[in-house]
Amino acid sequence: MESHKEKILVVDDEASIRRILETRLSMIGYDVVTAGDGEEALDIFRKTDPDLVVLDVMMPKLDGYGVCQELRKESDVPIIMLTALGDVADRITGLELGADDYVVKPFSPKELEARIRSVLRRVDKTGGSGIPSSGVIHVANIKIDTNKRQVYKGDERIRLTGMEFSLLELVVSRSGEPFSRSEILQEVWGYTPERHVDTRVVDVHISRLRAKLEDDPSNPELILTARGTGYLFQRIIEQGEE
């Protein structure tokens, strides 16, 4: 039986970019579908159910930000945004709306391919060194099930994207120990920061996690800031510990 090919939706209003990415991604084993504007992207997404979306920001009819917002209302699909915008704040906007990563135009296709592999790998990866054998962690009113990759706050299931869950799983695996932003970027996103702005990917995802999990995101009690270092998850007290 033929193995499942991961499907990627490439959304860009430039036909040349769509052709290049479709050719290259198909050559390395992905099933590729494309769209030339935001409205078409949503239509094709709903028809084809891709495993990952590569999404340009500047597009007619509905821009990448609008597409990202709509996708996040109905799906946790990994999203990598393509942006030619020079303003750092504009790049961060996509992350705040729910994108998992971004690549700045003009980009190397090899760089994008590496980012795609990294995001898909992290979304599928399970287990961490400090995770109990049951795979279930309870802290305060939060339940984290690393086997099912699900999180509950009380009785309510909290929807996390794959990368948000991978980030949570990482910091929980060494609860009480700080991670630097660079270390998190390497462990979760799979690349070393080349510019200071790269680590903002981590900051935005931490902010998104806090907004979903903390009772008061402005005064977090679960995911703490390690001054001068990065972030840590509060130490989890095992049963029998004082």
Side-chain angles (χ1 to χ4, degrees):
M1 190 171 71
E2 187 177 338
S3 61
H4 168 70
K5 275 184 161 186
E6 289 170 310
K7 183 177 295 180
I8 296 177
L9 169 58
V10 173
V11 188
D12 199 299
D13 63 334
E14 294 185 52
S16 60
I17 290 180
R18 293 199 303 274
R19 282 195 300 271
I20 290 169
L21 293 182
E22 182 174 15
T23 300
R24 290 188 64 111
L25 294 173
S26 297
M27 285 176 63
I28 59 176
Y30 296 111
D31 184 8
V32 183
V33 290
T34 66
D37 63 62
E39 291 181 359
E40 184 185 16
L42 292 174
D43 183 52
I44 291 178
F45 176 85
R46 289 164 184 148
K47 290 177 179 175
T48 62
D49 190 25
D51 297 291
L52 181 142
V53 179
V54 176
L55 180 61
D56 188 31
V57 171
M58 304 300 289
M59 291 188 299
K61 296 186 180 179
L62 183 66
D63 67 15
Y65 297 145
V67 175
C68 188
Q69 281 182 299
E70 289 301 310
L71 290 179
R72 281 294 170 253
K73 291 177 183 176
E74 58 191 77
S75 174
D76 300 326
V77 65
I79 299 172
I80 298 177
M81 300 203 78
L82 302 178
T83 174
L85 300 173
D87 191 336
V88 171
D90 288 331
R91 298 184 210 165
I92 299 304
T93 297
L95 298 172
E96 292 175 336
L97 293 174
D100 296 285
D101 202 355
Y102 67 84
V103 176
V104 180
K105 289 182 174 180
F107 61 89
S108 156
K110 283 189 175 181
E111 178 189 7
L112 179 60
E113 290 162 15
R115 298 287 183 93
I116 289 171
R117 282 194 296 269
S118 179
V119 170
L120 288 173
R121 184 171 62 246
R122 285 304 312 188
V123 166
D124 291 336
K125 187 175 179 181
T126 59
S129 59
I131 305 297
S133 57
S134 67
V136 179
I137 298 159
H138 295 272
V139 55
N141 64 337
I142 301 293
K143 173 188 171 184
I144 305 167
D145 187 331
T146 61
N147 295 320
K148 296 180 180 178
R149 293 179 69 80
Q150 295 178 355
V151 177
Y152 292 85
K153 187 174 183 180
D155 295 326
E156 178 190 2
R157 183 179 171 188
I158 305 299
R159 281 184 54 183
L160 300 184
T161 67
M163 297 301 275
E164 286 171 347
F165 189 91
S166 293
L167 172 56
L168 177 62
E169 186 178 32
L170 176 68
V171 294
V172 165
S173 73
R174 284 183 7 210
S175 68
E177 297 181 33
F179 286 85
S180 70
R181 290 172 176 82
S182 295
E183 188 177 5
I184 292 172
L185 196 65
Q186 289 175 290
E187 289 289 333
V188 177
W189 280 267
Y191 62 91
T192 303
E194 297 177 359
R195 303 167 297 274
H196 175 68
V197 67
D198 287 342
T199 57
R200 287 293 304 277
V201 174
V202 175
D203 295 333
V204 174
H205 274 73
I206 289 289
S207 178
R208 278 164 42 184
L209 275 179
R210 285 172 169 169
K212 292 181 179 183
L213 301 180
E214 301 278 2
D215 292 330
D216 179 5
S218 63
N219 186 29
E221 296 182 352
L222 297 173
I223 304 172
L224 311 176
T225 299
R227 299 295 176 193
T229 306
Y231 301 100
L232 74 156
F233 197 88
Q234 69 154 273
R235 183 167 178 261
I236 298 172
I237 306 298
E238 301 291 344
Q239 289 187 343
E241 281 191 87
E242 292 298 328

